[in-house]
Amino acid sequence: VTADEGILHASGNGVPPVTKDYCIIYNSNWISLPKSLDNATFWSLENLTSMVLCNSSEVPPGLMKDKAVVVMRGNCTFLEKARIAQSLGAKMLLIASKLSLSPLSDNKTDFEDVTLPVALIRYNDIVDMQLTLGNEVNVTLYSPPLPEFDCSMVVIFLIAVFTVALGGYWSGVAELENLKAIASPGERETRRKKEENVTFTPVTVILFVVICCVMLVLLYFFYKWLVYVIISVFCLASAMSLYNCLAALIGEIPFGQCR
C-alpha cells in the first residue's frame, strides 16, 4: 500500500473568489491525480459530515449527483463508502477524519470498479473551509510532483558547515591568544593541570552512559511530559550559547568602554 500527499484546492463564490489549499492523503494505486490546477476539474462540494455513508439509504436521492461529497470516517471501509458514493452519482469522495491522517489501506484489486477520486482530509479543515469560503464551495484535487532536488537542504548544509567552521576557527583563535598570554613556564604548568582535570574518567563515562539510557527509557514511557523538559533544556542551552557568542562579539565593539 502506498499513500501519497496531495492538495485539495477550494474556491468560494465571491468576487474575486477566495481560494485556499488543504492537505489530503490519497492512494496513488487507486487513482491518478492531475499534476497541476490547469488539468483539474472543479466540482461543487456537498458537506455531508453529519453521516458516515455506510448505507445508501442515509442520503436523499439526487443529493450527490455530479458533486464532490465529504462524509465522516466511520465503521465501514473506504471501499464501501466509495461504491455507495459512485452509485449515487458523486464525482469525488472526501472522507473527513478527526484523528490523524493515516494511509488508505484497502487492496488495489478491490478498487478496480471504483473510478471516482477518494481522499482523506482533516475534519478541522472542512470546518475551516466552511468558515472561510462559505457554504458554496468548488473543490478539486491535484498532486504536484516532488522536486528532484530540494534547495532547502543546501541552505541547511551551508548553515551547518558555517557553524562548525566558525566554531573551530573561534576556538583556535582563543587557544592561540591564551598561549600567547601565558609567558612563564609556571603558568603553563598550572593551565595544563586544569585541562587534565577536565578529562573524562572511566567512572564519568559510565555515569554519562547510564544517565543517557535512563533518559531514553523515561522518554519512551513518559514522552508526553518529558518532551517539554527536553525542549526547555534545549532552549536554555541555546540561549546561553547565543549569549556567550554575542558577549564576545560585543566586547570587540569600541563603544561604551570606560577609560
Side-chain angles (χ1 to χ4, degrees):
V1 176
T2 58
D4 302 278
E5 296 178 352
I7 296 176
L8 171 71
H9 184 78
S11 174
N13 289 332
V15 180
V18 181
T19 61
K20 199 166 183 180
D21 292 331
Y22 300 93
C23 292
I24 56 103
I25 293 291
Y26 77 101
N27 197 317
S28 58
N29 282 338
W30 302 346
I31 56 173
S32 178
L33 296 182
K35 301 298 182 184
S36 65
L37 286 174
D38 300 333
N39 303 324
T41 304
F42 283 83
W43 304 100
S44 177
L45 179 66
E46 186 68 33
N47 190 347
L48 299 178
T49 50
S50 59
M51 58 184 68
V52 295
L53 198 65
C54 290
N55 195 329
S56 59
S57 60
E58 299 179 42
V59 186
L63 185 62
M64 292 187 177
K65 185 67 175 178
D66 296 332
K67 291 183 178 179
V69 182
V70 54
V71 298
M72 289 301 298
R73 190 173 185 172
N75 297 327
C76 53
T77 64
F78 299 121
L79 177 61
E80 294 172 348
K81 296 177 186 290
R83 283 177 174 166
I84 293 174
Q86 183 170 295
S87 64
L88 295 175
K91 296 298 183 181
M92 181 193 303
L93 177 62
L94 301 174
I95 302 172
S97 175
K98 292 185 178 180
L99 305 175
S100 59
L101 297 184
S102 57
L104 308 181
S105 57
D106 287 335
N107 295 326
K108 177 183 177 181
T109 55
D110 297 334
F111 275 79
E112 291 180 350
D113 58 336
V114 177
T115 58
L116 83 166
V118 181
L120 193 63
I121 189 172
R122 295 182 180 87
Y123 175 74
N124 292 337
D125 291 342
I126 298 297
V127 175
D128 178 78
M129 188 187 308
Q130 297 292 323
L131 294 175
T132 306
L133 306 178
N135 294 325
E136 297 182 4
V137 181
N138 296 321
V139 298
T140 188
L141 298 177
Y142 73 103
S143 180
L146 294 175
E148 295 182 359
F149 182 76
D150 192 356
C151 297
S152 62
M153 296 304 297
V154 178
V155 178
I156 295 174
F157 176 78
L158 292 177
I159 292 174
V161 172
F162 174 77
T163 304
V164 173
L166 181 61
Y169 176 77
W170 195 339
S171 176
V173 170
E175 181 72 14
L176 185 61
E177 290 179 353
N178 290 336
L179 291 176
K180 288 181 179 180
I182 300 174
S184 63
E187 292 182 357
R188 291 175 181 264
E189 185 67 21
T190 304
R191 186 174 182 275
R192 187 181 65 82
K193 289 181 179 180
K194 288 183 178 179
E195 290 180 351
E196 289 178 355
N197 292 335
V198 188
T199 305
F200 285 121
T201 63
V203 178
T204 308
V205 174
I206 294 174
L207 206 70
F208 179 76
V209 172
V210 170
I211 292 174
C212 289
C213 294
V214 171
M215 197 64 193
L216 288 174
V217 172
L218 291 176
L219 276 173
Y220 181 81
F221 290 103
F222 305 102
Y223 179 82
K224 185 177 180 181
W225 297 279
L226 284 180
V227 65
Y228 297 107
V229 177
I230 299 299
I231 293 174
S232 302
V233 172
F234 180 80
C235 292
L236 181 61
S238 302
M240 293 175 62
S241 302
L242 184 61
Y243 170 79
N244 291 329
C245 294
L246 294 180
L249 292 176
I250 293 175
E252 300 296 328
I253 300 176
F255 295 103
Q257 297 179 357
C258 298
R259 295 178 180 269

